[in-house]
């Protein structure tokens, strides 16, 4: 891999102008695995200048040529899949089996689906049969600042970088400083795929430095951010002065509503989904709402699943869950588990401290609280760890009210054999996504939320349109050629 201490600006790996060093830690061992440079204002300015200079030519490129470049990137990505899996596993603690499948696979899937979407997208189209001489042009929004999190590195990077490239935008990527190695590797891949200099730029940095500067930069036309709601609010305020477009994918506190007629694996599936990726997913089903007639049985099932869930280092082959990403994250989760205990939720599995036999690394016990009520801290706050809360309900109306009792609105889940009920729930739940009976969204499904879970959508045609401006042109004439 390229020297991770350098930034990728204007097609070159360059030393930082005004940065400072930071160690990258393996969360399984707490050992240093790399050194990056947290860039400063001058680094961010250089990257934005390169993107701005490259924009006119890249924006004017035939969409078919942009698609061809993405197809070259796909071949490079597939050829280095194992390198990417190792990087992700080392930097953020995903077990290597999960890194190879879900983590790397998510990046490949978004790249493939964006290519397919772009091939079918009419970048120039008539307004309609009633106005054949009026043309609608979809044009790139401009220079984009892309700020991504550490929990699903390639999932979130690819959801931003690839549609931005397909749209004709140029960009500066600032990956999470806790998990930068996968982004450095992707920059190498983009370079190998032959994208023009300045189209894609990477500057490592923290949110207070590079991130804040990019969001307020007058030459940045759009900010696409995935992370905490707190940071999303700050970005929105900073971007307002220059009226940037802002797309935000923020926190979540998903409810998993399980009715008595749900399939027999619903509870087990829900617990495992919550614990997946060590609970570090914004769309995790962290609040399990269970119909009262099966609540006691559900508690026992959930307890058994938690007790059977293995925890261990990320480099071990198997189905264990790994560590959380950092000491800061570990301490936050420990604090919230203690709050659950202090506020008298019923602890049925897990609890404080590391699992037995693990004396180093940021490992959290798979934890379940029952009898959790809306005034409790663990009901309200996004924990972002392997912690599940359980609450009973008596009616469909109560289930909807409980699910919606949160400032978040990313993903909710419904488990029932009654299709009419499922559709009523889907309409009543205030979230950008509702998953039914363990069925995941198909490729190209829009990803995003309502309320404090953010604005905008990623994936499919919606994700491509996030990076496009709509231009209306009159008197185009009746003769036109579809440009895609």
């Amino acid at each position: 891999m390229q020297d991770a201490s350098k930034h990728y600006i204007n097609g070159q790996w360059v030393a930082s102008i005004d940065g400072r060093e930071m160690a990258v830690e393996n969360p399984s061992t707490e050992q240093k695995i790399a050194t990056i440079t947290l860039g400063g204002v001058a680094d961010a300015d250089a990257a934005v200048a390169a993107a701005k200079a490259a924009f006119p030519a890249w924006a004017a490129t035939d969409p078919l040529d942009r698609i061809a470049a993405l197809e070259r990137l796909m071949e490079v990505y597939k050829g280095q899949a194992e390198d990417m899996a190792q990087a992700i596993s080392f930097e953020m603690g995903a077990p290597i089996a999960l890194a190879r499948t879900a983590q790397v696979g998510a990046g490949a899937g978004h790249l493939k689906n964006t290519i397919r979407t772009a091939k079918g997208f009419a970048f120039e189209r008539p307004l309609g049969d009633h106005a054949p001489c009026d043309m609608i042009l979809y044009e790139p929004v401009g220079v984009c600042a892309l700020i991504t999190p550490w929990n699903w590195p390639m999932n979130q990077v690819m959801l931003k970088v690839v549609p931005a490239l397909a749209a004709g935008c140029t960009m500066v990527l600032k990956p999470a400083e806790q998990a930068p190695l996968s982004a450095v590797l992707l920059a190498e891949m983009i370079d190998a795929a032959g994208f023009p200099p300045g189209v894609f730029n990477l500057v490592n940095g923290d949110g207070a430095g590079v991130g804040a500067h990019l969001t307020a930069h007058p030459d940045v036309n759009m900010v696409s951010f995935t992370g905490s709601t707190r940071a999303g609010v700050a970005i929105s305020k900073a971007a307002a002065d220059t009226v940037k477009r802002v797309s935000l994918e923020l926190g979540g506190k998903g409810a998993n509503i399980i009715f008595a007629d749900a399939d027999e694996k619903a509870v087990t599936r829900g617990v495992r989904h919550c614990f997946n990726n060590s609970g570090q997913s914004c769309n995790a089903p962290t609040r399990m709402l269970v119909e009262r007639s099966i609540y006691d049985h559900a508690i026992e099932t959930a307890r058994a699943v938690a007790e059977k869930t293995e925890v261990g280092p990320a480099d071990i082959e198997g189905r264990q869950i790994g560590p959380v990403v950092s000491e800061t994250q570990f301490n936050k989760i420990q604090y919230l588990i203690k709050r659950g205990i202090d506020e008298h939720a019923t602890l049925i599995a897990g609890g404080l401290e590391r699992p037995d036999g693990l004396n180093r690394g940021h490992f959290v016990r798979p934890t379940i609280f029952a009898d959790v009520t809306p005034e409790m801290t663990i009901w309200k706050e996004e924990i972002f760890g392997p912690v599940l809360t359980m609450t009973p309900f008596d009616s469909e109306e109560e289930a909807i009210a409980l699910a919606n009792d949160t400032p978040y609105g990313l993903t909710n889940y419904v488990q029932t054999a009654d299709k009419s009920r499922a559709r009523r729930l889907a309409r009543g739940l205030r979230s950008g996504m509702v998953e039914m009976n363990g069925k995941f969204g198909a490729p190209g499904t829009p990803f995003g939320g309502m309320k404090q879970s953010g604005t905008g959508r990623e994936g499919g045609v919606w994700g491509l349109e996030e990076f496009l401006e709509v231009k209306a042109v009159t008197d185009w004439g009746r003769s036109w050629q579809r440009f895609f």
Side-chain angles (χ1 to χ4, degrees), residues 408-442:
Y408 299 109
L410 189 56
T411 312
N412 284 307
Y413 302 80
V414 177
Q415 321 297 328
T416 179
D418 186 334
K419 288 294 183 184
S420 295
R421 172 195 281 156
R423 290 167 186 151
R424 289 193 300 272
L425 267 290
R427 292 187 177 97
L429 292 168
R430 294 285 296 161
S431 56
M433 298 167 284
V434 181
E435 291 188 5
M436 302 287 191
N437 298 315
K439 306 296 184 185
F440 295 107

Side-chain angles (χ1 to χ4, degrees), residues 3 43 61 106-107 126 174 191 199 248 297 340 344 364 381 469:
D3 181 357
D43 298 307
T61 304
K174 190 209 83 66
D191 187 80
V199 168
L248 303 173
H297 179 68
H344 307 296
V364 176
E381 292 197 22
E469 295 280 15

Side-chain angles (χ1 to χ4, degrees), residues 253-419:
K253 193 69 176 174
N256 186 9
I257 304 172
I258 301 179
F259 288 89
D261 65 348
D263 67 272
E264 62 181 10
K265 296 181 180 179
V267 173
T268 297
R269 184 171 63 240
V271 176
R272 288 176 176 168
H273 191 175
C274 177
F275 291 166
N276 186 47
N277 204 43
S278 301
Q280 299 172 124
S281 300
C282 54
N283 63 338
T286 55
R287 293 183 298 147
M288 184 176 286
L289 310 180
V290 184
E291 192 165 7
R292 193 175 298 275
S293 63
I294 61 166
Y295 181 63
D296 290 344
H297 179 68
I299 287 174
E300 293 310 311
T301 300
R303 186 203 312 271
V305 174
E307 290 175 350
K308 291 179 182 177
T309 300
E310 296 182 1
V311 182
D315 60 345
I316 295 176
E317 298 281 354
R319 298 184 62 184
Q320 81 278 12
I321 65 172
V324 297
V325 72
S326 66
E327 182 180 9
T328 298
Q329 190 66 16
F330 176 85
N331 290 338
K332 173 193 170 185
I333 295 165
Q334 295 298 302
Y335 165 77
L336 289 169
I337 291 173
K338 188 172 188 306
R339 290 286 292 179
I341 294 169
D342 292 345
E343 293 177 2
H344 307 296
T346 304
L347 182 66
I348 65 169
L352 295 167
E353 307 302 336
R354 294 186 181 95
D356 293 341
L358 295 169
N359 58 10
R360 67 174 181 173
H362 309 308
F363 297 98
V364 176
R365 295 175 183 236
T367 297
I368 300 179
F369 286 99
D371 308 326
V372 177
T373 55
E375 69 275 7
M376 294 181 180
T377 304
I378 57 174
W379 172 278
K380 299 173 183 177
E381 292 197 22
E382 185 180 32
I383 300 172
F384 229 61
V387 181
L388 175 70
T389 68
M390 299 183 71
T391 302
F393 68 86
D394 293 300
S395 68
E396 183 179 314
E397 294 74 19
E398 184 186 11
I400 292 173
L402 288 169
N404 289 339
D405 182 26
T406 173
Y408 299 109
L410 189 56
T411 312
N412 284 307
Y413 302 80
V414 177
Q415 321 297 328
T416 179
D418 186 334
K419 288 294 183 184

Side-chain angles (χ1 to χ4, degrees), residues 160-173:
K160 300 181 190 301
V161 168
V162 179
L165 290 170
C169 295
T170 57
M171 65 211 66
V172 180
L173 171 66

